[in-house]
């Protein structure tokens, strides 16, 4: 239908999407425990974190809204256990929130009070493949020499 739903997760986040009759049951168990590896890597940054243990996915994509703990500088990342990946968000000064759209799967979200210096995976340039074709000596047809 045209109806939307909103699920609130404590005072940490809210997920909203369009209802779907095809939606299967989802496990919305979550934790707001700090991820020490991230917090230790950026000791001067304030964080809010939310991890959905069951990694629920939805039929329709929706929006995830978080507290803007750093105002306009607040940045939201997904975290796969190793890499922080920034999400495109919209800041709302009226409500003090940031919203990421196009979310279909809930995983681990890290909300930072500022943009983090994250190491981007360096794309290694492929080495020039060695020419493994054996050189063929061509004979000079005019002289018969090689």
């Amino acid at each position: 239908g045209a109806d939307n739903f909103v699920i609130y997760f404590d005072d940490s986040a809210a997920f909203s999407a369009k209802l779907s009759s095809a939606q299967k049951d989802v496990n919305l168990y979550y934790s707001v425990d700090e991820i020490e590896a991230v917090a230790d890597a950026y000791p001067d940054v304030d964080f809010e974190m939310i991890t959905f243990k069951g990694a629920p996915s939805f039929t329709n994509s929706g929006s995830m809204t978080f507290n803007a703990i750093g105002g306009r500088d607040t940045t939201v990342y997904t975290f796969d256990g190793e890499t922080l990946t920034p999400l495109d968000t919209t800041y709302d000064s009226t409500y003090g929130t940031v919203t990421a759209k196009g979310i279909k799967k809930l995983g681990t979200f890290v909300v930072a009070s500022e943009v983090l210096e994250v190491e981007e995976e360096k794309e290694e340039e492929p080495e020039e493949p060695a020419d493994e074709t054996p050189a063929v000596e061509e004979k000079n047809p005019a002289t018969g020499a090689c």
Side-chain angles (χ1 to χ4, degrees):
D3 293 333
N4 290 334
F5 67 91
V6 179
I7 304 169
Y8 295 94
F9 304 100
D10 290 330
D11 292 329
S12 299
F15 178 74
S16 61
K18 191 172 282 213
L19 289 172
S20 171
S21 60
Q23 179 65 53
K24 304 285 185 208
D25 291 343
V26 292
N27 176 355
L28 293 175
Y29 175 69
Y30 68 96
S31 167
V32 293
D33 293 342
E34 181 177 88
I35 301 166
E36 288 182 30
V38 174
D40 290 349
Y42 304 95
D44 297 331
V45 178
D46 292 326
F47 290 104
E48 286 187 1
M49 302 171 186
I50 185 166
T51 300
F52 292 88
K53 304 286 185 170
S57 61
F58 294 86
T59 303
N60 295 322
S61 61
S63 299
M64 217 38 206
T65 302
F66 305 92
N67 298 320
I69 59 176
R72 187 169 298 284
D73 293 334
T74 301
T75 307
V76 179
Y77 299 86
T78 58
F79 184 63
D80 65 5
E82 293 181 17
T83 306
L84 288 166
T85 305
L87 295 175
D88 288 330
T89 58
T90 305
Y91 173 67
D92 184 333
S93 61
T94 303
Y95 295 105
T97 59
V98 290
T99 301
K101 295 183 178 182
I103 305 292
K104 284 190 89 160
K105 186 173 185 177
L106 305 182
T108 298
F109 297 96
V110 174
V111 182
S113 60
E114 59 189 69
V115 176
L116 303 178
E117 295 293 326
V118 292
E119 289 184 25
E120 299 204 11
E121 292 184 30
K122 295 177 183 173
E123 291 185 27
E124 294 183 26
E125 293 185 26
E127 293 182 24
E128 293 284 327
D131 189 5
E132 297 178 17
T133 309
V136 178
E137 293 182 22
E138 293 185 26
K139 294 184 179 184
N140 186 337
T143 63
C146 291

